[in-house]
Amino acid sequence: MLSIICIFVMEPKLTNSMLSADKYIRESISGIFSPREASQVSMMILEKICGLSRLDILMGRDSDIKEEHKSMIDAIIERLINNEPLQYILGDTMFMDMNFNVNCNVLIPRPETAELIGLIISENKKSDVSILDIGTGSGCIAISLARNIPDSHVTAFDISEGAIETASLNAKLNNVNIDFRKTDILHFSPSGYVDYFDIIVSNPPYITKSEMKGMENNVLDFEPHLALFVSDEDPLVFYYEIARHSLAMLKSGGRLYFEINCRFGKSTADMLEGMGYSEISVIKDMQGRDRMISATLVK
Ligand code: GLN
């Protein structure tokens, strides 16, 4: 009797079954994704693990997959149900039409960061510009700018060894040359870079610890807190230090770009004005929130 009950209570597994893998994945994750998201996630898993395309799935080729692939899919589903982001599980993600490796040392590139990159590209049509990205993480900003601004020379800093390794790999994968430096911007001397850069950009940590409460577990439990959080007492610490060093590192007429916490548009703009920057603009993201700031330094 007991064994009969167990059969009904046991979670179904893809292993040893002849189900449509797509249907199985979608049903297994229906509690955590909308049907539309579940279908996209399923397709990404089947493509990565089994090399199946959307057409293959439509043709029913997902009903006959290798046993080893089935157990890999079961393991992925378990991690998804445990809130781990798909990008970390699969190890990569698409961003700005490029593939980036991601892991627990780097944030998953966000759509708002693509907006910041778009802004920089649209405002800088000259070639031969020298660019610095501070807190590069996966390298998504540095690499996208190197790819989209012709003849640019890009330098990128990060405090994390793991991030520098990931970003270096991503630069190689996307065929760009970037000068990566392991650097702690809070303990930094700009002496090697005086009047050196046309553009300095940063998406530094900007979420205050008190904002943690409203955040999703998939971010809190898996993304690097080093890249996300600042204290409530000094939320602009990175902006202040970067803007201060940029006074030395930017050429005259050079531009500073930040991704910002939507709560701090005005205070960041006021701070930059007080430090001598001009043409300061606070720019909204697609959600209508203050998300970017740009400024010019005239020396
Ligand atoms: N935009 C990211 C998020 O909302 C935060 C990035 C950062 O702190 N720089 O999770």
Side-chain angles (χ1 to χ4, degrees):
M1 183 62 190
L2 191 63
S3 61
I4 296 173
I5 294 172
C6 283
I7 289 169
F8 289 115
V9 174
M10 245 165 43
E11 285 277 309
K13 289 265 181 252
L14 184 56
T15 318
N16 299 325
S17 76
M18 282 294 286
L19 281 170
S20 143
D22 175 52
K23 186 159 181 284
Y24 171 80
I25 296 169
R26 285 190 281 111
E27 282 174 5
S28 306
I29 59 176
S30 61
I32 45 173
F33 293 106
S34 69
R36 197 190 159 92
E37 285 169 337
S39 161
Q40 274 168 359
V41 168
S42 169
M43 221 135 49
M44 287 164 79
I45 295 173
L46 288 170
E47 190 188 350
K48 179 91 179 188
I49 303 298
C50 316
L52 293 176
S53 66
R54 179 194 289 262
L55 183 64
D56 290 326
I57 297 167
L58 288 173
M59 309 266 292
R61 294 197 184 111
D62 61 318
S63 298
D64 184 23
I65 61 176
K66 292 193 188 132
E67 286 306 314
E68 65 184 277
H69 288 164
K70 290 180 181 178
S71 47
M72 285 164 88
I73 289 171
D74 274 324
I76 291 174
I77 290 171
E78 213 175 300
R79 289 170 72 178
L80 284 171
I81 290 172
N82 189 34
N83 280 320
E84 188 168 347
L86 180 68
Q87 295 93 327
Y88 286 154
I89 301 174
L90 299 183
D92 62 6
T93 189
M94 288 303 286
F95 179 77
M96 300 282 298
D97 291 330
M98 286 180 275
N99 195 252
F100 285 87
N101 278 292
V102 289
N103 54 55
C104 62
N105 294 308
V106 303
L107 292 183
I108 297 164
R110 306 286 205 272
E112 51 269 29
T113 305
E115 290 190 57
L116 175 71
I117 294 165
L119 174 74
I120 299 172
I121 295 169
S122 70
E123 289 188 352
N124 294 277
K125 295 289 186 204
K126 281 192 311 179
S127 59
D128 199 24
V129 290
S130 167
I131 301 171
L132 171 64
D133 173 26
I134 300 175
T136 196
S138 65
C140 66
I141 297 177
I143 294 166
S144 303
L145 293 177
R147 280 291 291 259
N148 288 285
I149 301 184
D151 298 322
S152 47
H153 317 279
V154 184
T155 303
F157 294 165
D158 205 289
I159 189 174
S160 151
E161 187 82 50
I164 293 283
E165 273 170 27
T166 308
S168 305
L169 180 63
N170 284 329
K172 220 175 263 157
L173 284 174
N174 289 296
N175 291 317
V176 291
N177 232 325
I178 293 185
D179 184 14
F180 289 106
R181 304 272 162 157
K182 184 175 181 301
T183 304
D184 175 0
I185 200 65
L186 301 184
H187 300 93
F188 172 72
S189 159
S191 55
Y193 296 103
V194 174
D195 292 334
Y196 194 92
F197 295 107
D198 298 286
I199 298 170
I200 297 179
V201 52
S202 184
N203 173 18
Y206 62 63
I207 303 177
T208 59
K209 297 252 166 72
S210 62
E211 289 173 294
M212 268 184 170
K213 292 188 289 291
M215 292 173 67
E216 302 283 347
N217 285 341
N218 58 354
V219 177
L220 284 177
D221 293 349
F222 294 97
E223 300 213 59
H225 287 203
L226 181 68
L228 287 171
F229 295 111
V230 281
S231 72
D232 284 80
E233 292 72 40
D234 199 4
L236 301 186
V237 57
F238 287 100
Y239 298 94
Y240 177 73
E241 289 298 326
I242 292 168
R244 185 167 73 85
H245 292 311
S246 297
L247 292 172
M249 293 193 290
L250 280 172
K251 296 176 187 167
S252 184
R255 300 273 288 155
L256 184 61
Y257 292 91
F258 286 133
E259 183 176 314
I260 57 166
N261 183 322
C262 56
R263 291 165 55 214
F264 301 125
K266 167 110 177 61
S267 42
T268 312
D270 290 348
M271 181 192 81
L272 292 175
E273 196 179 354
M275 294 173 91
Y277 287 88
S278 54
E279 298 180 74
I280 300 161
S281 316
V282 179
I283 300 139
K284 293 189 189 307
D285 63 16
M286 274 185 304
Q287 322 254 22
R289 288 191 277 239
D290 290 348
R291 184 65 64 201
M292 294 153 269
I293 197 156
S294 64
T296 301
L297 181 69
V298 179
K299 289 186 168 176

